[in-house]
Amino acid sequence: MVTNGVAVTNGLFTVQMDFGAGVWNGQINWLEIAVETNTGNSFSTLSPRQQITPTPYAIFATTSGNLSGTLPLRNCPQWLSLTAPAAST
């Protein structure tokens, strides 16, 4: 994947990448970046490579997702601190 015309400020840059769904198959993936100047003829590979680790973008517990109605306080864990909203005046 090659991205041209990326602005670099103080050595920092941001790009969006789309590897497609096929690379996320449970195997370990690594990100390797190579850069060149606008007039360069060859890329310089930056190191070390960075492992791409899974990060959830949505968290959902299926057991609580099936809750229908009110959850009694006695069913909540003791460490859960619940407070009622302040009454409006």
Side-chain angles (χ1 to χ4, degrees):
M1 168 182 315
V2 176
T3 303
N4 296 312
V6 176
V8 179
T9 305
N10 296 324
L12 302 175
F13 61 92
T14 301
V15 295
Q16 291 185 358
M17 299 178 286
D18 184 355
F19 301 105
V23 300
W24 313 118
N25 57 11
Q27 295 182 359
I28 295 174
N29 291 295
W30 295 86
L31 179 63
E32 180 176 273
I33 298 174
V35 296
E36 71 173 347
T37 63
N38 291 340
T39 58
N41 293 325
S42 63
F43 284 89
S44 297
T45 302
L46 305 179
S47 66
R49 296 182 308 161
Q50 297 295 310
Q51 183 178 359
I52 299 175
T53 56
T55 302
Y57 57 88
I59 299 174
F60 182 79
T62 57
T63 54
S64 65
N66 297 327
L67 177 64
S68 177
T70 304
L71 178 64
L73 185 58
R74 68 179 175 274
N75 293 353
C76 295
Q78 291 181 354
W79 55 263
L80 183 62
S81 174
L82 299 174
T83 57
S88 59
T89 56

